[in-house]
Amino acid sequence: MQSTRVSFPDGALSGEGEVLLVDQAASIVVVDATPFHPVDHTWPDQPGDSGSITVGDVQLRVAEAVMAAISDEGALAVGSDIPVKRGGEGWTWMVGHRTEGAIPAGIAIGARVTLTVDADHRHALSRGHTACHLASLALDAALADLWRKQIGTDPLGSPDFEGRANQSSRIHADGSVDEYRLGKSLRKAGFDSEGFAATLDQRETRINEILAGWVASAGESRIEVEGPSIIDRRTWRCTLPEGEVGFLCGGTHVRSLAEFASISVSLDLRDPQLLVMTTTAVPAP
Ligand SMILES: [Zn+2]
């Protein structure tokens, strides 16, 4: 068995493949190639795609695509039960289609099946993921003057607040929620937390101005792949007025910022140690 070939980086929503594995107990079907984007088991920021698998007139609902891995000893592990990071040695990496209900007999090893992703849900998640990345770049830019020491920079050249402080990122349909730890170590690194708290409203306004400019620029957004399998590295690239940005990302994205009517954030610092940034995307009509 080899790693699943994936077509979601090109924006595919349907495809065909041969069933390689059916695990009734785990409700998992593995196909040699799939358009389904799976949730990552180590950094589960973007939910997996939903959709269906069909063969003839047999249709099986896929609740969510997840990562699956088979050890060299033949043990199947699914999602958060996988004990190593994606791509780890000694494992074969696959997209598992987690099904709803019993897997019908027609969907058996060797069967040729058609895979169909729920398009509206995918597109909403792609907008949410692109908006999440743009909001984090705008956040870094809007906080740049709060650093008293030199730290590493993000792809736009701003001090990398995101890289230093982000502790979780959750993408949903047309938006995301990011949490940032504003603790002692960030202050030691030179971040002016008090100055930030005192100017929270202005910072939020500034982020939203930057985002409005980027949406208006209608730049291109795409995913670059180093190979066809689920474990090949993928990079999100986006053209902004300031230049092209790119960073490693396993998720799905819009093709153009023209797909947005707007992207905006709200900042919440009710707990002074924890910044919560909620990002909302509105699709273009
Ligand atoms: Zn990403």
Side-chain angles (χ1 to χ4, degrees):
M1 211 176 283
Q2 51 187 1
S3 290
T4 309
R5 283 178 284 117
V6 292
S7 52
F8 63 81
D10 294 330
L13 292 163
S14 63
E16 290 192 358
E18 181 187 334
V19 175
L20 298 183
L21 185 154
V22 174
D23 191 313
Q24 286 283 4
S27 299
I28 288 289
V29 175
V30 173
V31 182
D32 63 345
T34 186
F36 280 74
H37 168 262
V39 59
D40 192 76
H41 68 291
T42 38
W43 182 252
D45 57 349
Q46 180 178 341
D49 285 331
S50 57
S52 63
I53 297 177
T54 52
V55 53
D57 45 16
V58 176
Q59 190 187 65
L60 179 61
R61 276 296 299 168
V62 176
E64 187 177 26
V66 297
M67 288 300 296
I70 292 190
S71 71
D72 288 350
E73 291 75 39
L76 174 71
V78 176
S80 52
D81 292 337
I82 303 173
V84 291
K85 274 194 170 183
R86 184 168 70 184
E89 296 277 313
W91 294 78
T92 301
W93 294 87
M94 298 164 304
V95 176
H97 304 85
R98 180 173 270 151
T99 66
E100 278 169 14
I103 300 166
I107 297 185
I109 291 172
R112 292 291 300 174
V113 295
T114 300
L115 303 108
T116 309
V117 172
D118 291 337
D120 289 350
H121 186 54
R122 157 76 73 74
H123 289 140
L125 291 174
S126 294
R127 286 191 297 268
H129 204 142
T130 305
C132 174
H133 283 336
L134 292 175
S136 75
L137 289 166
L139 173 70
D140 285 350
L143 270 47
D145 64 299
L146 290 166
W147 290 92
R148 297 195 192 93
K149 294 180 192 165
Q150 203 107 44
I151 64 150
T153 55
D154 74 8
L156 273 183
S158 310
D160 193 5
F161 177 83
E162 170 80 19
R164 282 282 176 151
N166 185 248
Q167 64 173 26
S168 77
S169 189
R170 285 288 182 276
I171 290 152
H172 53 81
D174 286 309
S176 61
V177 178
D178 283 86
E179 294 187 336
Y180 301 88
R181 180 59 55 191
L182 300 180
K184 216 191 231 169
S185 68
L186 204 68
R187 214 161 308 165
K188 272 191 186 151
F191 186 71
D192 177 8
S193 297
E194 293 75 24
F196 175 51
T199 56
L200 192 69
D201 289 352
Q202 292 102 291
R203 306 284 164 183
E204 183 181 289
T205 301
R206 181 67 196 126
I207 294 167
N208 287 328
E209 285 169 0
I210 295 169
L211 288 169
W214 289 347
V215 167
S217 77
E220 186 204 31
S221 154
R222 63 195 158 88
I223 297 164
E224 210 171 77
V225 297
E226 292 184 3
S229 90
I230 187 61
I231 50 166
D232 286 306
R233 294 203 319 169
R234 302 188 288 279
T235 305
W236 171 70
R237 295 200 184 278
C238 184
T239 307
L240 297 176
E242 293 85 347
E244 191 185 81
V245 293
F247 41 82
L248 289 176
C249 173
T252 67
H253 287 278
V254 301
R255 288 176 189 273
S256 163
L257 303 189
E259 292 177 35
F260 295 104
S262 69
I263 302 171
S264 59
V265 303
S266 68
L267 302 181
D268 178 336
L269 201 52
R270 267 172 291 185
D271 173 354
Q273 304 274 334
L274 184 75
L275 170 67
V276 180
M277 179 167 75
T278 303
T279 303
T280 305
V282 176

PDB file of all heavy atoms in Angstrom, residues 45 129 133 249 253, ligand 1:
ATOM      1  N   ASP A  45      -6.407  22.345  12.439  1.00  0.00           N
ATOM      2  CA  ASP A  45      -7.002  23.682  12.262  1.00  0.00           C
ATOM      3  C   ASP A  45      -8.218  23.663  11.340  1.00  0.00           C
ATOM      4  O   ASP A  45      -9.238  24.251  11.650  1.00  0.00           O
ATOM      5  CB  ASP A  45      -5.944  24.706  11.790  1.00  0.00           C
ATOM      6  CG  ASP A  45      -5.225  24.333  10.511  1.00  0.00           C
ATOM      7  OD1 ASP A  45      -5.366  23.187  10.051  1.00  0.00           O
ATOM      8  OD2 ASP A  45      -4.512  25.201   9.962  1.00  0.00           O
ATOM      9  N   HIS A 129     -10.130  29.522   5.741  1.00  0.00           N
ATOM     10  CA  HIS A 129      -8.690  29.293   5.919  1.00  0.00           C
ATOM     11  C   HIS A 129      -7.867  30.445   5.339  1.00  0.00           C
ATOM     12  O   HIS A 129      -6.926  30.934   5.970  1.00  0.00           O
ATOM     13  CB  HIS A 129      -8.282  27.952   5.287  1.00  0.00           C
ATOM     14  CG  HIS A 129      -7.029  27.383   5.880  1.00  0.00           C
ATOM     15  ND1 HIS A 129      -6.841  26.050   6.097  1.00  0.00           N
ATOM     16  CD2 HIS A 129      -5.888  27.984   6.301  1.00  0.00           C
ATOM     17  CE1 HIS A 129      -5.643  25.852   6.624  1.00  0.00           C
ATOM     18  NE2 HIS A 129      -5.039  27.014   6.759  1.00  0.00           N
ATOM     19  N   HIS A 133      -5.377  33.139   7.488  1.00  0.00           N
ATOM     20  CA  HIS A 133      -3.976  33.499   7.220  1.00  0.00           C
ATOM     21  C   HIS A 133      -3.813  35.000   6.990  1.00  0.00           C
ATOM     22  O   HIS A 133      -2.860  35.612   7.468  1.00  0.00           O
ATOM     23  CB  HIS A 133      -3.461  32.755   5.988  1.00  0.00           C
ATOM     24  CG  HIS A 133      -3.139  31.318   6.257  1.00  0.00           C
ATOM     25  ND1 HIS A 133      -2.826  30.843   7.502  1.00  0.00           N
ATOM     26  CD2 HIS A 133      -3.064  30.247   5.435  1.00  0.00           C
ATOM     27  CE1 HIS A 133      -2.589  29.543   7.431  1.00  0.00           C
ATOM     28  NE2 HIS A 133      -2.733  29.150   6.185  1.00  0.00           N
ATOM     29  N   CYS A 249       1.397  25.089   4.525  1.00  0.00           N
ATOM     30  CA  CYS A 249       0.013  24.984   4.968  1.00  0.00           C
ATOM     31  C   CYS A 249      -0.589  23.743   4.328  1.00  0.00           C
ATOM     32  O   CYS A 249      -0.445  23.520   3.132  1.00  0.00           O
ATOM     33  CB  CYS A 249      -0.762  26.219   4.533  1.00  0.00           C
ATOM     34  SG  CYS A 249      -2.529  26.071   4.877  1.00  0.00           S
ATOM     35  N   HIS A 253      -7.731  26.534   0.066  1.00  0.00           N
ATOM     36  CA  HIS A 253      -7.804  27.994  -0.009  1.00  0.00           C
ATOM     37  C   HIS A 253      -8.619  28.448  -1.210  1.00  0.00           C
ATOM     38  O   HIS A 253      -8.843  27.676  -2.145  1.00  0.00           O
ATOM     39  CB  HIS A 253      -6.387  28.580  -0.098  1.00  0.00           C
ATOM     40  CG  HIS A 253      -5.652  28.484   1.202  1.00  0.00           C
ATOM     41  ND1 HIS A 253      -5.817  29.393   2.212  1.00  0.00           N
ATOM     42  CD2 HIS A 253      -4.790  27.547   1.675  1.00  0.00           C
ATOM     43  CE1 HIS A 253      -5.070  29.037   3.249  1.00  0.00           C
ATOM     44  NE2 HIS A 253      -4.447  27.912   2.945  1.00  0.00           N
TER      45      HIS A 253
HETATM   46 ZN    ZN B   1      -2.944  27.129   6.800  1.00  0.00          ZN
END
